[in-house]
Amino acid sequence: MRANKADRTMTRSLQAAPRDAWWRNGVVYQIYPRSFQDSDGDGIGDLPGIRRRLDYLADLGVDALWVSPFYPSPMADFGYDVADYYCDVDPRFGSLADFDALVAAVHARGMKLIVDFVPNHTSTQHPWFLESRSSRDDPKQDWYLWRDPAPDGGPPNNWLSNFGSPAWTFDAASGQYYCHLFLAAQPDLNWRHPEVRVALLEALRFWLRRGVDGFRLDVIYHVVKDVHFRDNPANPGFVEGMDPVHRLLPVYTADQPEVAQVLAEMRRVVDEFSDAASARVLVAETYLPIERLGAYYGADAAGNLLGAHLPFNFHLIGTPWNAASIDALVRAYEAALPAGAAPNWVLGNHDRSRVASRTGARSARLAAMLLLTLRGTPTMYYGDELGLEDVAIEPQDVQDPFEKNQPGLGLGRDPVRTPMPWSNAPHAGFTTGRPWLRLNDDWPGRNVLAQAADDRSILQLYRRLIALRRRHPALHRGEWLPLGVEGSTLAYAREHAGERLVVVLNFGSDNAEVLERQAPAGARILLSTLLDRRGELARGSHLRPFEGWILGLQ
Ligand code: GLC
């Protein structure tokens, strides 16, 4: 639905104060479509499969689904190498009709659908790139980043690909190199070219017209590179064994000032399609320091936020897992946000080790409570609600190009992309064929059906947390008030319109007393991560190892 001018004016004022926008207060759930549910027995998940599982997601209580790429692709990077104008569905995942049916079914359940958008690069098989490399005189030659060799015939500069090796590949036919910050099969687009911008923005409109509620913008902070193609400086903090891309500091390949203009243009497009009933949203993939995240909200001189609605905050993934570090992180993030900006938190995704493996299985429940009680939009990753851990993949079964390029460094992402275990049917109900990646070893017990039947499972904890978050404005829109760290416990309050809830989390492996300033007299346990007590007075009791509470103060 395309908003007219009057609507757009209304939209703008609405967006100036979107305190109750769905993307601000809701919970986002990421689906890696290859691994969620297969519907046709080829061992690869697909869009009709996702549709079949929507009731599960609605029961879980999530508000929005983000689906990783399903566009036509040779799958060199499993869909993050798009081969067709971003306007179709790869037959492995279904068809455009399946996509339309998915949008309708998501909306029928009151949920939203966010799709992935990959603006930095295409596949080498994309018609744009085929034209671009066909001749140095081709009108699309400049759509990608072509440069002459250095005087010694080598790459034009020292830039590195995020997947290892130089960011340049030589093309014998043209005698030039093209730039790729990821695989050689993923050439980078030239966002300084006006026609590239028009084409990509039009692709956004294509999906908006089909009803999507927003986009997750893949590696948006990389889309513009230094206009002079200067060498990146060496990273003094690099030590052998680290991901080789960290040999250099990405001074000229990431976070360039012009990225803000690109984001602002994308924002204008999604705002064209926002109306009073529902805003469309931009979620930006931003692996950046906390002090840089603020810029991606795009505040203008008057304080209007004209960039991404939610620049991803990935810092829970890398921060040491203890009360003091997390307290310091939340304070620093809260302090760095521009006025009116919506915070957000992420525990994991299809690129990073799963939270249950990073923090330890017993802490996975604590992590769930943290994610769902901090101030800001939480993004969950499929399977984390089951406490799924990283799954070791034998070398002969490796699928991820990152691991294939740089084996043995622990960079591969297959372990976090294994199929969703649904039941104890063959292959955990994921497929009737052979799954493209193996399942978790413990799937006969760790699956949706088994955990749904167990009152104290981590799945039930997620359901209860999401329900509580939805019921209490203090949790989904309240202020965050630190109550400090005491030994291994972290405490904070959430407060809105006179309602105050307190969260106390024990990161330690011993029992922990709860102090007066954390739990005033009369505070009662609304929810324990262990799901085995409720209604007890907090004072006089203690938290068990890795236990967390939400306390109500009456
Ligand atoms: C993003 C994606 C990742 C992909 C890369 C290149 O970081 O999350 O999966 O490999 O971009 O598109």
Side-chain angles (χ1 to χ4, degrees), residues 201-262:
L201 296 179
E202 202 41 42
L204 288 178
R205 290 192 183 91
F206 175 88
W207 294 106
L208 287 162
R209 285 188 199 105
R210 288 201 110 84
V212 304
D213 299 287
F215 301 95
R216 174 266 189 188
L217 304 173
D218 190 66
V219 293
I220 189 73
Y221 58 109
H222 275 313
V223 290
V224 186
K225 285 88 179 166
D226 179 44
V227 70
H228 304 298
F229 290 85
R230 281 169 281 188
D231 276 353
N232 276 328
N235 175 7
F238 180 80
V239 288
E240 280 314 323
M242 280 169 73
D243 180 345
V245 76
H246 298 311
R247 280 180 197 284
L248 304 179
L249 296 172
V251 172
Y252 296 115
T253 44
D255 197 19
Q256 303 298 294
E258 296 90 337
V259 175
Q261 291 152 22
V262 172

Side-chain angles (χ1 to χ4, degrees), residues 32 44 48 238 272 319 384:
Y32 195 66
I44 295 173
F238 180 80
E272 285 169 25
T319 299
D384 281 353

